Every structure is written in C-alpha cells, then in structure tokens.
PDB file of all heavy atoms in Angstrom:
ATOM      1  N   LEU A   1       7.984  13.332 -12.955  1.00 85.00           N
ATOM      2  CA  LEU A   1       8.584  12.440 -11.935  1.00 85.00           C
ATOM      3  C   LEU A   1       7.549  11.952 -10.947  1.00 85.00           C
ATOM      4  O   LEU A   1       7.481  10.735 -10.633  1.00 85.00           O
ATOM      5  CB  LEU A   1       9.708  13.162 -11.208  1.00 85.00           C
ATOM      6  CG  LEU A   1      10.443  12.402 -10.093  1.00 85.00           C
ATOM      7  CD1 LEU A   1      11.195  11.217 -10.679  1.00 85.00           C
ATOM      8  CD2 LEU A   1      11.382  13.309  -9.343  1.00 85.00           C
ATOM      9  N   VAL A   2       6.728  12.879 -10.441  1.00 86.00           N
ATOM     10  CA  VAL A   2       5.737  12.504  -9.417  1.00 86.00           C
ATOM     11  C   VAL A   2       4.577  11.719  -9.988  1.00 86.00           C
ATOM     12  O   VAL A   2       4.109  10.756  -9.371  1.00 86.00           O
ATOM     13  CB  VAL A   2       5.244  13.783  -8.707  1.00 86.00           C
ATOM     14  CG1 VAL A   2       4.099  13.469  -7.726  1.00 86.00           C
ATOM     15  CG2 VAL A   2       6.389  14.486  -7.994  1.00 86.00           C
ATOM     16  N   LEU A   3       4.076  12.133 -11.136  1.00 86.00           N
ATOM     17  CA  LEU A   3       2.846  11.552 -11.683  1.00 86.00           C
ATOM     18  C   LEU A   3       3.046  10.429 -12.674  1.00 86.00           C
ATOM     19  O   LEU A   3       2.104   9.690 -12.986  1.00 86.00           O
ATOM     20  CB  LEU A   3       1.997  12.650 -12.352  1.00 86.00           C
ATOM     21  CG  LEU A   3       1.579  13.811 -11.474  1.00 86.00           C
ATOM     22  CD1 LEU A   3       0.804  14.825 -12.288  1.00 86.00           C
ATOM     23  CD2 LEU A   3       0.737  13.326 -10.292  1.00 86.00           C
ATOM     24  N   LEU A   4       4.282  10.255 -13.165  1.00 84.00           N
ATOM     25  CA  LEU A   4       4.531   9.215 -14.181  1.00 84.00           C
ATOM     26  C   LEU A   4       5.593   8.220 -13.719  1.00 84.00           C
ATOM     27  O   LEU A   4       5.294   7.013 -13.571  1.00 84.00           O
ATOM     28  CB  LEU A   4       4.963   9.873 -15.498  1.00 84.00           C
ATOM     29  CG  LEU A   4       5.200   8.930 -16.678  1.00 84.00           C
ATOM     30  CD1 LEU A   4       3.925   8.240 -17.056  1.00 84.00           C
ATOM     31  CD2 LEU A   4       5.760   9.697 -17.854  1.00 84.00           C
ATOM     32  N   PHE A   5       6.798   8.688 -13.481  1.00 87.00           N
ATOM     33  CA  PHE A   5       7.894   7.747 -13.240  1.00 87.00           C
ATOM     34  C   PHE A   5       7.791   7.089 -11.842  1.00 87.00           C
ATOM     35  O   PHE A   5       8.101   5.911 -11.718  1.00 87.00           O
ATOM     36  CB  PHE A   5       9.241   8.458 -13.361  1.00 87.00           C
ATOM     37  CG  PHE A   5       9.506   8.940 -14.766  1.00 87.00           C
ATOM     38  CD1 PHE A   5       9.514  10.280 -15.087  1.00 87.00           C
ATOM     39  CD2 PHE A   5       9.734   8.019 -15.763  1.00 87.00           C
ATOM     40  CE1 PHE A   5       9.752  10.691 -16.394  1.00 87.00           C
ATOM     41  CE2 PHE A   5       9.968   8.409 -17.067  1.00 87.00           C
ATOM     42  CZ  PHE A   5       9.996   9.763 -17.379  1.00 87.00           C
ATOM     43  N   VAL A   6       7.350   7.821 -10.843  1.00 88.00           N
ATOM     44  CA  VAL A   6       7.176   7.216  -9.507  1.00 88.00           C
ATOM     45  C   VAL A   6       6.121   6.139  -9.502  1.00 88.00           C
ATOM     46  O   VAL A   6       6.343   5.023  -9.022  1.00 88.00           O
ATOM     47  CB  VAL A   6       6.896   8.304  -8.440  1.00 88.00           C
ATOM     48  CG1 VAL A   6       6.500   7.681  -7.111  1.00 88.00           C
ATOM     49  CG2 VAL A   6       8.136   9.201  -8.243  1.00 88.00           C
ATOM     50  N   PRO A   7       4.904   6.404 -10.070  1.00 88.00           N
ATOM     51  CA  PRO A   7       3.903   5.318 -10.129  1.00 88.00           C
ATOM     52  C   PRO A   7       4.382   4.098 -10.954  1.00 88.00           C
ATOM     53  O   PRO A   7       4.103   2.960 -10.559  1.00 88.00           O
ATOM     54  CB  PRO A   7       2.716   5.999 -10.805  1.00 88.00           C
ATOM     55  CG  PRO A   7       2.866   7.421 -10.497  1.00 88.00           C
ATOM     56  CD  PRO A   7       4.325   7.667 -10.506  1.00 88.00           C
ATOM     57  N   ILE A   8       5.070   4.358 -12.057  1.00 89.00           N
ATOM     58  CA  ILE A   8       5.573   3.235 -12.866  1.00 89.00           C
ATOM     59  C   ILE A   8       6.566   2.402 -12.038  1.00 89.00           C
ATOM     60  O   ILE A   8       6.532   1.176 -12.040  1.00 89.00           O
ATOM     61  CB  ILE A   8       6.221   3.733 -14.159  1.00 89.00           C
ATOM     62  CG1 ILE A   8       5.169   4.269 -15.117  1.00 89.00           C
ATOM     63  CG2 ILE A   8       7.049   2.628 -14.839  1.00 89.00           C
ATOM     64  CD1 ILE A   8       5.729   4.900 -16.367  1.00 89.00           C
ATOM     65  N   GLY A   9       7.452   3.092 -11.322  1.00 90.00           N
ATOM     66  CA  GLY A   9       8.430   2.396 -10.485  1.00 90.00           C
ATOM     67  C   GLY A   9       7.732   1.589  -9.397  1.00 90.00           C
ATOM     68  O   GLY A   9       8.133   0.445  -9.074  1.00 90.00           O
ATOM     69  N   MET A  10       6.672   2.149  -8.816  1.00 91.00           N
ATOM     70  CA  MET A  10       5.924   1.429  -7.775  1.00 91.00           C
ATOM     71  C   MET A  10       5.249   0.199  -8.323  1.00 91.00           C
ATOM     72  O   MET A  10       5.262  -0.869  -7.702  1.00 91.00           O
ATOM     73  CB  MET A  10       4.892   2.371  -7.148  1.00 91.00           C
ATOM     74  CG  MET A  10       5.472   3.520  -6.338  1.00 91.00           C
ATOM     75  SD  MET A  10       4.219   4.704  -5.754  1.00 91.00           S
ATOM     76  CE  MET A  10       3.268   3.663  -4.681  1.00 91.00           C
ATOM     77  N   VAL A  11       4.632   0.305  -9.525  1.00 91.00           N
ATOM     78  CA  VAL A  11       3.979  -0.838 -10.100  1.00 91.00           C
ATOM     79  C   VAL A  11       4.991  -1.941 -10.449  1.00 91.00           C
ATOM     80  O   VAL A  11       4.723  -3.131 -10.207  1.00 91.00           O
ATOM     81  CB  VAL A  11       3.215  -0.412 -11.380  1.00 91.00           C
ATOM     82  CG1 VAL A  11       2.726  -1.643 -12.178  1.00 91.00           C
ATOM     83  CG2 VAL A  11       2.032   0.463 -11.021  1.00 91.00           C
ATOM     84  N   ILE A  12       6.131  -1.565 -10.961  1.00 92.00           N
ATOM     85  CA  ILE A  12       7.181  -2.543 -11.261  1.00 92.00           C
ATOM     86  C   ILE A  12       7.624  -3.257  -9.976  1.00 92.00           C
ATOM     87  O   ILE A  12       7.811  -4.478  -9.961  1.00 92.00           O
ATOM     88  CB  ILE A  12       8.355  -1.877 -11.976  1.00 92.00           C
ATOM     89  CG1 ILE A  12       7.959  -1.398 -13.370  1.00 92.00           C
ATOM     90  CG2 ILE A  12       9.543  -2.843 -12.108  1.00 92.00           C
ATOM     91  CD1 ILE A  12       9.015  -0.578 -14.094  1.00 92.00           C
ATOM     92  N   SER A  13       7.823  -2.477  -8.915  1.00 92.00           N
ATOM     93  CA  SER A  13       8.224  -3.109  -7.653  1.00 92.00           C
ATOM     94  C   SER A  13       7.136  -4.011  -7.080  1.00 92.00           C
ATOM     95  O   SER A  13       7.407  -5.065  -6.531  1.00 92.00           O
ATOM     96  CB  SER A  13       8.599  -2.034  -6.634  1.00 92.00           C
ATOM     97  OG  SER A  13       7.471  -1.238  -6.281  1.00 92.00           O
ATOM     98  N   TYR A  14       5.865  -3.607  -7.215  1.00 92.00           N
ATOM     99  CA  TYR A  14       4.752  -4.428  -6.719  1.00 92.00           C
ATOM    100  C   TYR A  14       4.707  -5.777  -7.403  1.00 92.00           C
ATOM    101  O   TYR A  14       4.296  -6.769  -6.815  1.00 92.00           O
ATOM    102  CB  TYR A  14       3.399  -3.723  -6.970  1.00 92.00           C
ATOM    103  CG  TYR A  14       3.121  -2.554  -6.092  1.00 92.00           C
ATOM    104  CD1 TYR A  14       2.109  -1.653  -6.381  1.00 92.00           C
ATOM    105  CD2 TYR A  14       3.865  -2.333  -4.921  1.00 92.00           C
ATOM    106  CE1 TYR A  14       1.866  -0.562  -5.569  1.00 92.00           C
ATOM    107  CE2 TYR A  14       3.592  -1.235  -4.087  1.00 92.00           C
ATOM    108  CZ  TYR A  14       2.597  -0.370  -4.429  1.00 92.00           C
ATOM    109  OH  TYR A  14       2.336   0.709  -3.644  1.00 92.00           O
ATOM    110  N   SER A  15       5.133  -5.819  -8.669  1.00 92.00           N
ATOM    111  CA  SER A  15       5.048  -7.088  -9.429  1.00 92.00           C
ATOM    112  C   SER A  15       5.967  -8.176  -8.904  1.00 92.00           C
ATOM    113  O   SER A  15       5.822  -9.323  -9.265  1.00 92.00           O
ATOM    114  CB  SER A  15       5.349  -6.797 -10.904  1.00 92.00           C
ATOM    115  OG  SER A  15       6.711  -6.438 -11.082  1.00 92.00           O
ATOM    116  N   PHE A  16       6.915  -7.813  -8.021  1.00 94.00           N
ATOM    117  CA  PHE A  16       7.849  -8.792  -7.476  1.00 94.00           C
ATOM    118  C   PHE A  16       7.469  -9.194  -6.058  1.00 94.00           C
ATOM    119  O   PHE A  16       8.231  -9.936  -5.422  1.00 94.00           O
ATOM    120  CB  PHE A  16       9.290  -8.238  -7.509  1.00 94.00           C
ATOM    121  CG  PHE A  16       9.797  -7.986  -8.876  1.00 94.00           C
ATOM    122  CD1 PHE A  16       9.916  -6.687  -9.341  1.00 94.00           C
ATOM    123  CD2 PHE A  16      10.169  -9.045  -9.726  1.00 94.00           C
ATOM    124  CE1 PHE A  16      10.414  -6.436 -10.620  1.00 94.00           C
ATOM    125  CE2 PHE A  16      10.636  -8.785 -10.983  1.00 94.00           C
ATOM    126  CZ  PHE A  16      10.763  -7.487 -11.457  1.00 94.00           C
ATOM    127  N   PHE A  17       6.330  -8.696  -5.559  1.00 92.00           N
ATOM    128  CA  PHE A  17       5.902  -9.047  -4.209  1.00 92.00           C
ATOM    129  C   PHE A  17       4.525  -9.723  -4.277  1.00 92.00           C
ATOM    130  O   PHE A  17       3.853  -9.741  -5.315  1.00 92.00           O
ATOM    131  CB  PHE A  17       5.787  -7.776  -3.335  1.00 92.00           C
ATOM    132  CG  PHE A  17       7.129  -7.210  -2.961  1.00 92.00           C
ATOM    133  CD1 PHE A  17       7.766  -6.308  -3.808  1.00 92.00           C
ATOM    134  CD2 PHE A  17       7.746  -7.557  -1.783  1.00 92.00           C
ATOM    135  CE1 PHE A  17       9.000  -5.768  -3.473  1.00 92.00           C
ATOM    136  CE2 PHE A  17       8.979  -7.008  -1.417  1.00 92.00           C
ATOM    137  CZ  PHE A  17       9.600  -6.100  -2.276  1.00 92.00           C
ATOM    138  N   ASP A  18       4.117 -10.309  -3.142  1.00 89.00           N
ATOM    139  CA  ASP A  18       2.815 -10.915  -3.043  1.00 89.00           C
ATOM    140  C   ASP A  18       1.981 -10.204  -1.984  1.00 89.00           C
ATOM    141  O   ASP A  18       2.523  -9.741  -0.967  1.00 89.00           O
ATOM    142  CB  ASP A  18       2.962 -12.382  -2.661  1.00 89.00           C
ATOM    143  CG  ASP A  18       1.649 -13.129  -2.790  1.00 89.00           C
ATOM    144  OD1 ASP A  18       0.768 -12.628  -3.541  1.00 89.00           O
ATOM    145  OD2 ASP A  18       1.464 -14.199  -2.152  1.00 89.00           O
ATOM    146  N   ASN A  19       0.683 -10.075  -2.272  1.00 83.00           N
ATOM    147  CA  ASN A  19      -0.251  -9.428  -1.345  1.00 83.00           C
ATOM    148  C   ASN A  19       0.120  -7.968  -1.074  1.00 83.00           C
ATOM    149  O   ASN A  19       0.004  -7.494   0.093  1.00 83.00           O
ATOM    150  CB  ASN A  19      -0.304 -10.189  -0.018  1.00 83.00           C
ATOM    151  CG  ASN A  19      -0.868 -11.597  -0.173  1.00 83.00           C
ATOM    152  OD1 ASN A  19      -1.746 -11.825  -0.972  1.00 83.00           O
ATOM    153  ND2 ASN A  19      -0.305 -12.531   0.574  1.00 83.00           N
ATOM    154  N   VAL A  20       0.555  -7.255  -2.085  1.00 87.00           N
ATOM    155  CA  VAL A  20       0.884  -5.853  -1.910  1.00 87.00           C
ATOM    156  C   VAL A  20      -0.424  -5.064  -1.666  1.00 87.00           C
ATOM    157  O   VAL A  20      -1.501  -5.460  -2.100  1.00 87.00           O
ATOM    158  CB  VAL A  20       1.623  -5.279  -3.122  1.00 87.00           C
ATOM    159  CG1 VAL A  20       3.018  -5.877  -3.248  1.00 87.00           C
ATOM    160  CG2 VAL A  20       0.840  -5.495  -4.414  1.00 87.00           C
ATOM    161  N   ILE A  21      -0.273  -3.969  -0.986  1.00 85.00           N
ATOM    162  CA  ILE A  21      -1.365  -3.012  -0.623  1.00 85.00           C
ATOM    163  C   ILE A  21      -2.322  -3.605   0.414  1.00 85.00           C
ATOM    164  O   ILE A  21      -2.660  -2.898   1.380  1.00 85.00           O
ATOM    165  CB  ILE A  21      -2.166  -2.568  -1.897  1.00 85.00           C
ATOM    166  CG1 ILE A  21      -1.224  -1.833  -2.876  1.00 85.00           C
ATOM    167  CG2 ILE A  21      -3.343  -1.677  -1.508  1.00 85.00           C
ATOM    168  CD1 ILE A  21      -1.900  -1.403  -4.136  1.00 85.00           C
ATOM    169  N   VAL A  22      -2.732  -4.848   0.271  1.00 83.00           N
ATOM    170  CA  VAL A  22      -3.680  -5.438   1.187  1.00 83.00           C
ATOM    171  C   VAL A  22      -3.019  -5.895   2.490  1.00 83.00           C
ATOM    172  O   VAL A  22      -3.720  -6.148   3.493  1.00 83.00           O
ATOM    173  CB  VAL A  22      -4.436  -6.609   0.557  1.00 83.00           C
ATOM    174  CG1 VAL A  22      -5.278  -6.142  -0.600  1.00 83.00           C
ATOM    175  CG2 VAL A  22      -3.459  -7.689   0.107  1.00 83.00           C
ATOM    176  N   THR A  23      -1.707  -6.004   2.529  1.00 83.00           N
ATOM    177  CA  THR A  23      -0.988  -6.382   3.741  1.00 83.00           C
ATOM    178  C   THR A  23       0.126  -5.381   4.015  1.00 83.00           C
ATOM    179  O   THR A  23       0.655  -4.762   3.079  1.00 83.00           O
ATOM    180  CB  THR A  23      -0.374  -7.804   3.647  1.00 83.00           C
ATOM    181  OG1 THR A  23       0.535  -7.827   2.559  1.00 83.00           O
ATOM    182  CG2 THR A  23      -1.469  -8.847   3.452  1.00 83.00           C
ATOM    183  N   ASP A  24       0.537  -5.280   5.262  1.00 82.00           N
ATOM    184  CA  ASP A  24       1.594  -4.343   5.640  1.00 82.00           C
ATOM    185  C   ASP A  24       2.966  -4.850   5.235  1.00 82.00           C
ATOM    186  O   ASP A  24       3.875  -4.073   4.944  1.00 82.00           O
ATOM    187  CB  ASP A  24       1.567  -4.077   7.139  1.00 82.00           C
ATOM    188  CG  ASP A  24       0.324  -3.333   7.568  1.00 82.00           C
ATOM    189  OD1 ASP A  24      -0.225  -2.588   6.736  1.00 82.00           O
ATOM    190  OD2 ASP A  24      -0.123  -3.502   8.712  1.00 82.00           O
ATOM    191  N   ASN A  25       3.165  -6.131   5.266  1.00 86.00           N
ATOM    192  CA  ASN A  25       4.465  -6.756   4.966  1.00 86.00           C
ATOM    193  C   ASN A  25       4.359  -7.748   3.829  1.00 86.00           C
ATOM    194  O   ASN A  25       4.289  -8.969   4.053  1.00 86.00           O
ATOM    195  CB  ASN A  25       5.047  -7.426   6.227  1.00 86.00           C
ATOM    196  CG  ASN A  25       5.242  -6.466   7.361  1.00 86.00           C
ATOM    197  OD1 ASN A  25       5.887  -5.437   7.190  1.00 86.00           O
ATOM    198  ND2 ASN A  25       4.661  -6.775   8.535  1.00 86.00           N
ATOM    199  N   PRO A  26       4.286  -7.267   2.567  1.00 88.00           N
ATOM    200  CA  PRO A  26       4.223  -8.189   1.440  1.00 88.00           C
ATOM    201  C   PRO A  26       5.481  -9.022   1.328  1.00 88.00           C
ATOM    202  O   PRO A  26       6.593  -8.551   1.618  1.00 88.00           O
ATOM    203  CB  PRO A  26       4.026  -7.268   0.250  1.00 88.00           C
ATOM    204  CG  PRO A  26       4.588  -5.951   0.686  1.00 88.00           C
ATOM    205  CD  PRO A  26       4.324  -5.847   2.157  1.00 88.00           C
ATOM    206  N   ALA A  27       5.331 -10.246   0.841  1.00 89.00           N
ATOM    207  CA  ALA A  27       6.458 -11.172   0.716  1.00 89.00           C
ATOM    208  C   ALA A  27       7.067 -11.055  -0.677  1.00 89.00           C
ATOM    209  O   ALA A  27       6.358 -10.944  -1.688  1.00 89.00           O
ATOM    210  CB  ALA A  27       6.020 -12.608   0.974  1.00 89.00           C
ATOM    211  N   TRP A  28       8.386 -11.129  -0.733  1.00 92.00           N
ATOM    212  CA  TRP A  28       9.119 -11.121  -2.007  1.00 92.00           C
ATOM    213  C   TRP A  28       8.919 -12.481  -2.709  1.00 92.00           C
ATOM    214  O   TRP A  28       9.177 -13.525  -2.128  1.00 92.00           O
ATOM    215  CB  TRP A  28      10.596 -10.851  -1.785  1.00 92.00           C
ATOM    216  CG  TRP A  28      11.452 -11.016  -3.002  1.00 92.00           C
ATOM    217  CD1 TRP A  28      12.067 -12.156  -3.441  1.00 92.00           C
ATOM    218  CD2 TRP A  28      11.743 -10.009  -3.973  1.00 92.00           C
ATOM    219  NE1 TRP A  28      12.753 -11.925  -4.603  1.00 92.00           N
ATOM    220  CE2 TRP A  28      12.551 -10.621  -4.940  1.00 92.00           C
ATOM    221  CE3 TRP A  28      11.392  -8.644  -4.099  1.00 92.00           C
ATOM    222  CZ2 TRP A  28      13.049  -9.915  -6.059  1.00 92.00           C
ATOM    223  CZ3 TRP A  28      11.897  -7.953  -5.205  1.00 92.00           C
ATOM    224  CH2 TRP A  28      12.686  -8.581  -6.162  1.00 92.00           C
ATOM    225  N   VAL A  29       8.442 -12.455  -3.938  1.00 91.00           N
ATOM    226  CA  VAL A  29       8.197 -13.706  -4.675  1.00 91.00           C
ATOM    227  C   VAL A  29       8.950 -13.740  -6.017  1.00 91.00           C
ATOM    228  O   VAL A  29       8.816 -14.711  -6.760  1.00 91.00           O
ATOM    229  CB  VAL A  29       6.677 -13.896  -4.908  1.00 91.00           C
ATOM    230  CG1 VAL A  29       5.955 -14.128  -3.604  1.00 91.00           C
ATOM    231  CG2 VAL A  29       6.097 -12.738  -5.701  1.00 91.00           C
ATOM    232  N   GLY A  30       9.726 -12.691  -6.311  1.00 89.00           N
ATOM    233  CA  GLY A  30      10.488 -12.698  -7.550  1.00 89.00           C
ATOM    234  C   GLY A  30       9.590 -12.680  -8.779  1.00 89.00           C
ATOM    235  O   GLY A  30       8.705 -11.866  -8.928  1.00 89.00           O
ATOM    236  N   MET A  31       9.830 -13.666  -9.647  1.00 92.00           N
ATOM    237  CA  MET A  31       9.092 -13.745 -10.933  1.00 92.00           C
ATOM    238  C   MET A  31       7.843 -14.606 -10.837  1.00 92.00           C
ATOM    239  O   MET A  31       7.226 -14.935 -11.869  1.00 92.00           O
ATOM    240  CB  MET A  31      10.034 -14.323 -11.987  1.00 92.00           C
ATOM    241  CG  MET A  31      11.297 -13.541 -12.236  1.00 92.00           C
ATOM    242  SD  MET A  31      10.980 -11.872 -12.852  1.00 92.00           S
ATOM    243  CE  MET A  31      10.352 -12.236 -14.486  1.00 92.00           C
ATOM    244  N   ALA A  32       7.384 -14.933  -9.647  1.00 93.00           N
ATOM    245  CA  ALA A  32       6.244 -15.834  -9.485  1.00 93.00           C
ATOM    246  C   ALA A  32       4.960 -15.213 -10.074  1.00 93.00           C
ATOM    247  O   ALA A  32       4.139 -15.932 -10.672  1.00 93.00           O
ATOM    248  CB  ALA A  32       6.047 -16.147  -8.007  1.00 93.00           C
ATOM    249  N   ASN A  33       4.793 -13.915  -9.895  1.00 92.00           N
ATOM    250  CA  ASN A  33       3.587 -13.263 -10.444  1.00 92.00           C
ATOM    251  C   ASN A  33       3.583 -13.300 -11.970  1.00 92.00           C
ATOM    252  O   ASN A  33       2.539 -13.510 -12.579  1.00 92.00           O
ATOM    253  CB  ASN A  33       3.533 -11.802  -9.983  1.00 92.00           C
ATOM    254  CG  ASN A  33       3.222 -11.688  -8.518  1.00 92.00           C
ATOM    255  OD1 ASN A  33       2.360 -12.400  -7.992  1.00 92.00           O
ATOM    256  ND2 ASN A  33       3.923 -10.795  -7.803  1.00 92.00           N
ATOM    257  N   TYR A  34       4.754 -13.156 -12.597  1.00 94.00           N
ATOM    258  CA  TYR A  34       4.840 -13.232 -14.035  1.00 94.00           C
ATOM    259  C   TYR A  34       4.530 -14.645 -14.527  1.00 94.00           C
ATOM    260  O   TYR A  34       3.854 -14.841 -15.558  1.00 94.00           O
ATOM    261  CB  TYR A  34       6.206 -12.783 -14.526  1.00 94.00           C
ATOM    262  CG  TYR A  34       6.457 -11.307 -14.296  1.00 94.00           C
ATOM    263  CD1 TYR A  34       7.112 -10.846 -13.163  1.00 94.00           C
ATOM    264  CD2 TYR A  34       6.033 -10.356 -15.221  1.00 94.00           C
ATOM    265  CE1 TYR A  34       7.361  -9.494 -12.954  1.00 94.00           C
ATOM    266  CE2 TYR A  34       6.269  -9.019 -15.011  1.00 94.00           C
ATOM    267  CZ  TYR A  34       6.927  -8.580 -13.880  1.00 94.00           C
ATOM    268  OH  TYR A  34       7.145  -7.241 -13.667  1.00 94.00           O
ATOM    269  N   SER A  35       5.007 -15.643 -13.812  1.00 93.00           N
ATOM    270  CA  SER A  35       4.720 -17.039 -14.158  1.00 93.00           C
ATOM    271  C   SER A  35       3.250 -17.318 -14.049  1.00 93.00           C
ATOM    272  O   SER A  35       2.660 -17.990 -14.915  1.00 93.00           O
ATOM    273  CB  SER A  35       5.497 -17.996 -13.260  1.00 93.00           C
ATOM    274  OG  SER A  35       6.898 -17.785 -13.390  1.00 93.00           O
ATOM    275  N   ALA A  36       2.613 -16.797 -12.979  1.00 92.00           N
ATOM    276  CA  ALA A  36       1.186 -17.004 -12.790  1.00 92.00           C
ATOM    277  C   ALA A  36       0.380 -16.338 -13.890  1.00 92.00           C
ATOM    278  O   ALA A  36      -0.601 -16.902 -14.403  1.00 92.00           O
ATOM    279  CB  ALA A  36       0.750 -16.498 -11.450  1.00 92.00           C
ATOM    280  N   ILE A  37       0.810 -15.136 -14.271  1.00 92.00           N
ATOM    281  CA  ILE A  37       0.105 -14.409 -15.337  1.00 92.00           C
ATOM    282  C   ILE A  37       0.211 -15.149 -16.665  1.00 92.00           C
ATOM    283  O   ILE A  37      -0.774 -15.334 -17.383  1.00 92.00           O
ATOM    284  CB  ILE A  37       0.675 -12.946 -15.453  1.00 92.00           C
ATOM    285  CG1 ILE A  37       0.167 -12.083 -14.325  1.00 92.00           C
ATOM    286  CG2 ILE A  37       0.300 -12.328 -16.809  1.00 92.00           C
ATOM    287  CD1 ILE A  37      -1.298 -11.777 -14.383  1.00 92.00           C
ATOM    288  N   LEU A  38       1.418 -15.551 -17.027  1.00 91.00           N
ATOM    289  CA  LEU A  38       1.663 -16.156 -18.326  1.00 91.00           C
ATOM    290  C   LEU A  38       1.024 -17.552 -18.415  1.00 91.00           C
ATOM    291  O   LEU A  38       0.791 -18.054 -19.534  1.00 91.00           O
ATOM    292  CB  LEU A  38       3.151 -16.264 -18.603  1.00 91.00           C
ATOM    293  CG  LEU A  38       3.880 -14.909 -18.749  1.00 91.00           C
ATOM    294  CD1 LEU A  38       5.364 -15.092 -18.872  1.00 91.00           C
ATOM    295  CD2 LEU A  38       3.333 -14.156 -19.947  1.00 91.00           C
ATOM    296  N   SER A  39       0.726 -18.186 -17.290  1.00 93.00           N
ATOM    297  CA  SER A  39       0.049 -19.484 -17.307  1.00 93.00           C
ATOM    298  C   SER A  39      -1.450 -19.363 -17.125  1.00 93.00           C
ATOM    299  O   SER A  39      -2.159 -20.405 -17.126  1.00 93.00           O
ATOM    300  CB  SER A  39       0.648 -20.381 -16.206  1.00 93.00           C
ATOM    301  OG  SER A  39       0.457 -19.811 -14.923  1.00 93.00           O
ATOM    302  N   ASP A  40      -1.972 -18.165 -16.978  1.00 93.00           N
ATOM    303  CA  ASP A  40      -3.399 -17.946 -16.783  1.00 93.00           C
ATOM    304  C   ASP A  40      -4.095 -17.985 -18.152  1.00 93.00           C
ATOM    305  O   ASP A  40      -3.759 -17.234 -19.052  1.00 93.00           O
ATOM    306  CB  ASP A  40      -3.621 -16.572 -16.123  1.00 93.00           C
ATOM    307  CG  ASP A  40      -5.068 -16.358 -15.697  1.00 93.00           C
ATOM    308  OD1 ASP A  40      -5.938 -17.156 -16.114  1.00 93.00           O
ATOM    309  OD2 ASP A  40      -5.344 -15.377 -14.977  1.00 93.00           O
ATOM    310  N   THR A  41      -5.087 -18.855 -18.271  1.00 94.00           N
ATOM    311  CA  THR A  41      -5.798 -18.988 -19.555  1.00 94.00           C
ATOM    312  C   THR A  41      -6.597 -17.738 -19.907  1.00 94.00           C
ATOM    313  O   THR A  41      -6.759 -17.399 -21.072  1.00 94.00           O
ATOM    314  CB  THR A  41      -6.739 -20.205 -19.513  1.00 94.00           C
ATOM    315  OG1 THR A  41      -7.646 -20.058 -18.386  1.00 94.00           O
ATOM    316  CG2 THR A  41      -5.936 -21.508 -19.372  1.00 94.00           C
ATOM    317  N   VAL A  42      -7.103 -17.052 -18.881  1.00 94.00           N
ATOM    318  CA  VAL A  42      -7.842 -15.826 -19.160  1.00 94.00           C
ATOM    319  C   VAL A  42      -6.924 -14.734 -19.699  1.00 94.00           C
ATOM    320  O   VAL A  42      -7.288 -13.988 -20.629  1.00 94.00           O
ATOM    321  CB  VAL A  42      -8.547 -15.324 -17.866  1.00 94.00           C
ATOM    322  CG1 VAL A  42      -9.311 -14.022 -18.124  1.00 94.00           C
ATOM    323  CG2 VAL A  42      -9.511 -16.372 -17.349  1.00 94.00           C
ATOM    324  N   PHE A  43      -5.710 -14.645 -19.143  1.00 94.00           N
ATOM    325  CA  PHE A  43      -4.745 -13.692 -19.670  1.00 94.00           C
ATOM    326  C   PHE A  43      -4.345 -14.015 -21.108  1.00 94.00           C
ATOM    327  O   PHE A  43      -4.217 -13.132 -21.948  1.00 94.00           O
ATOM    328  CB  PHE A  43      -3.501 -13.642 -18.787  1.00 94.00           C
ATOM    329  CG  PHE A  43      -2.486 -12.606 -19.182  1.00 94.00           C
ATOM    330  CD1 PHE A  43      -2.748 -11.276 -19.030  1.00 94.00           C
ATOM    331  CD2 PHE A  43      -1.284 -13.002 -19.726  1.00 94.00           C
ATOM    332  CE1 PHE A  43      -1.824 -10.304 -19.436  1.00 94.00           C
ATOM    333  CE2 PHE A  43      -0.324 -12.048 -20.117  1.00 94.00           C
ATOM    334  CZ  PHE A  43      -0.592 -10.692 -19.967  1.00 94.00           C
ATOM    335  N   ALA A  44      -4.155 -15.321 -21.385  1.00 94.00           N
ATOM    336  CA  ALA A  44      -3.858 -15.731 -22.757  1.00 94.00           C
ATOM    337  C   ALA A  44      -4.986 -15.364 -23.704  1.00 94.00           C
ATOM    338  O   ALA A  44      -4.768 -14.919 -24.830  1.00 94.00           O
ATOM    339  CB  ALA A  44      -3.608 -17.232 -22.785  1.00 94.00           C
TER     340      ALA A  44
END
C-alpha cells in the first residue's frame, strides 16, 4: 500500500494537474497533459 499503490495513485492524480511539485497550488487541467503527450513527436 505504502510503496506501490500510494505512489501509483499520486502519479495518476498528478497527470490531471499542471505544474505539480514545482508549485504549491497546481491547476486542474483534466486530459490536457494526455493530449500534449499524444501530440508530442518525441513521444511518438
């Protein structure tokens, strides 16, 4: 729970925000990060 499921849950939650970790109040962006990733030529 502590070493696997909690980190996975945190990463999933981070994917729906912007500027996580580097700012105190990250903004909710929904699926915007996934859209940016899927449209990135380097990721492709």
Side-chain angles (χ1 to χ4, degrees):
L1 179 65
V2 174
L3 301 178
L4 182 63
F5 294 111
V6 171
I8 288 174
M10 292 174 64
V11 169
I12 293 173
S13 66
Y14 287 165
S15 67
F16 297 106
F17 289 87
D18 190 22
N19 297 323
V20 292
I21 298 177
V22 295
T23 60
D24 293 332
N25 299 307
W28 172 270
V29 295
M31 301 297 292
N33 290 318
Y34 292 95
S35 300
I37 284 291
L38 295 174
S39 60
D40 189 349
T41 55
V42 178
F43 184 69

